[in-house]
Amino acid sequence: MTRSGMRRPALNLALQGGGAHGAFTWGVLDALLESERFDFAAISGSSAGAINAALLACGSSQGGPGGARAALERFWTALGSHIPFEWLTMGLGDDLAFNPLARMMLRFSQWFAPHEFNPLDHNPLRRLLQEQIDFDALRAGGPRLAIAATHVNSGRLKVFGNESLSVDVLLASACLPTLHHTVVIDGEPYWDGGYSANPALLPLLADRRSAADTLLVLLAPRQYARMPHGAAQIGERAMDIAFQAPFLRELQILDELKSSTDGRWWPRTGIDRRIAAARWHLVDGAPALAQLHGETRMIAHLPFLLRLRDAGRTAAQAWLAEDAANVGRRSGIRLGALAQGTS
């Protein structure tokens, strides 16, 4: 509701993961919340997108849009102040990267499993999430959340809703198995949600309480200008493809399902109706992030995070000025074109 008592348009959010690049999404959400133009019905997220989703939902339940903005700022500021990255990085702006010492440490992590180089499972993110997110409040209500994780033994997507949210669920959604211990929930092992959905879209359509409009906040490029050369570039590209493929496949499936329902004269099922009625919108982080080194996803240094936040705010403000009026009326993007990298 607005201050005048009028109902705001309802909007779902689908938040992509990307490590420290999730600070771009922080900026997008900050601008959306500042505008107070929408009520968020449901939020899907993977990895950093899952954490942003939980922060927004928790903050909103405790203090409305202002509370959500404060929750996001507290988390990202604390995260960016935890490790002295100035000792581990070199370069500025688009040239920011790990220095040789940090790269040597990362190579070391590739030779040993996390339980070997971190036997006590020290993970500062666990404490930070426990301190800053009220999981009881999330389980009690607020925007519907769809948090993606990947079941290790089957490769299947697991979507956790509000009723099952915990710090372990968020850690599972953000668990890169070369760096972190596998997260076990109810006896089952989970890794990063990006391996199976980045983010998941179908859960937003399956829930009849969701809005018809969904805003995608994407971080990864869908088209690259150059072929990778060298072991590091090839490794980064392989990881990008692994995290993008499930999302692009889901876009293609949804586009084909929508095409198959258009013009159908016989009665549609509930999910058919929601697919046909769904409207899609996009804030694209790729133009701001594509020139960065892939390893900057692991550089949670506050000046860098603030730079990404500002870029996200700028992108969201442009969307609010140019495309937000489409919400409730028509899609701002075509899913098929987005999947093909032409939108």
Side-chain angles (χ1 to χ4, degrees):
M1 290 283 188
T2 64
R3 293 188 181 93
S4 62
M6 296 180 62
R7 185 175 295 277
R8 300 186 187 97
L11 185 66
N12 304 323
L13 297 171
L15 310 180
Q16 201 165 58
H21 291 186
F24 178 93
T25 304
W26 165 29
V28 172
L29 299 179
D30 188 67
L32 293 176
L33 291 161
E34 182 182 48
S35 76
E36 297 192 12
R37 289 180 59 174
F38 304 102
D39 286 325
F40 301 114
I43 312 173
S44 175
S46 294
S47 197
I51 293 172
N52 277 324
L55 289 164
L56 187 155
C58 181
S60 295
S61 69
Q62 297 173 336
R69 294 181 70 195
L72 287 158
E73 182 174 11
R74 279 195 304 270
F75 172 82
W76 285 100
T77 300
L79 181 68
S81 305
H82 186 77
I83 297 175
F85 273 98
E86 59 269 19
W87 295 95
L88 300 172
T89 57
M90 59 184 182
L92 298 171
D94 291 349
D95 294 324
L96 181 69
F98 279 125
N99 62 26
L101 173 62
R103 287 176 175 165
M104 182 179 69
M105 294 167 62
L106 286 174
R107 282 195 293 271
F108 176 82
S109 72
Q110 296 172 0
W111 299 333
F112 298 92
H115 70 271
E116 294 174 318
F117 65 77
N118 182 15
L120 299 180
D121 193 16
H122 176 65
N123 187 347
L125 184 58
R126 175 180 291 276
R127 179 179 58 81
L128 194 57
L129 293 172
Q130 288 173 327
E131 290 174 350
Q132 302 212 15
I133 296 179
D134 183 345
F135 289 95
D136 288 334
L138 290 180
R139 288 189 288 267
R144 299 300 301 168
L145 297 180
I147 304 302
T150 303
H151 186 256
V152 175
N153 292 342
S154 67
R156 295 190 182 96
L157 168 66
K158 171 69 174 180
V159 177
F160 293 91
N162 295 57
E163 64 284 349
S164 55
L165 281 186
S166 66
V167 67
D168 282 333
V169 167
L170 293 184
L171 290 174
S173 186
C175 176
L176 290 176
T178 57
L179 298 176
H180 304 295
H181 285 231
T182 297
V183 179
V184 178
I185 301 172
D186 295 332
E188 298 295 332
Y190 294 97
W191 286 345
D192 198 295
Y195 290 115
S196 53
N198 194 23
L201 302 180
L202 279 171
L204 297 175
L205 299 174
D207 189 340
R208 62 174 57 90
R209 294 165 293 182
S210 297
D213 291 89
T214 298
L215 176 64
L216 310 176
V217 182
L218 305 184
L219 306 179
R222 291 169 302 284
Q223 190 73 37
Y224 296 88
R226 294 180 297 276
M227 184 176 72
H229 296 281
Q233 290 181 359
I234 291 171
E236 287 178 6
R237 183 67 55 83
M239 179 67 75
D240 287 349
I241 291 172
F243 273 63
Q244 274 283 78
F247 175 68
L248 296 177
R249 185 165 57 249
E250 192 172 15
L251 289 179
Q252 194 67 49
I253 290 170
L254 286 173
D255 185 62
E256 292 172 1
L257 287 173
K258 180 173 173 56
S259 297
S260 71
T261 62
D262 287 345
R264 183 189 295 177
W265 60 268
W266 60 85
R268 294 168 172 166
T269 65
I271 188 66
D272 282 345
R273 286 195 299 271
R274 287 191 286 276
I275 290 173
R279 295 179 291 267
W280 303 93
H281 313 275
L282 172 66
V283 174
D284 192 0
L289 303 174
Q291 300 306 313
L292 298 174
H293 292 285
E295 62 195 31
T296 58
R297 296 184 183 95
M298 293 183 284
I299 299 179
H301 187 33
L302 186 57
F304 178 58
L305 299 181
L306 293 175
R307 174 190 165 200
L308 296 184
R309 178 206 60 186
D310 292 344
R313 280 185 55 84
T314 298
Q317 287 164 347
W319 180 80
L320 286 165
E322 299 167 10
D323 298 312
N326 288 327
V327 173
R329 300 169 58 195
R330 58 179 176 269
S331 288
I333 56 169
R334 292 189 302 111
L335 294 188
L338 189 64
Q340 296 299 322
T342 58
S343 175

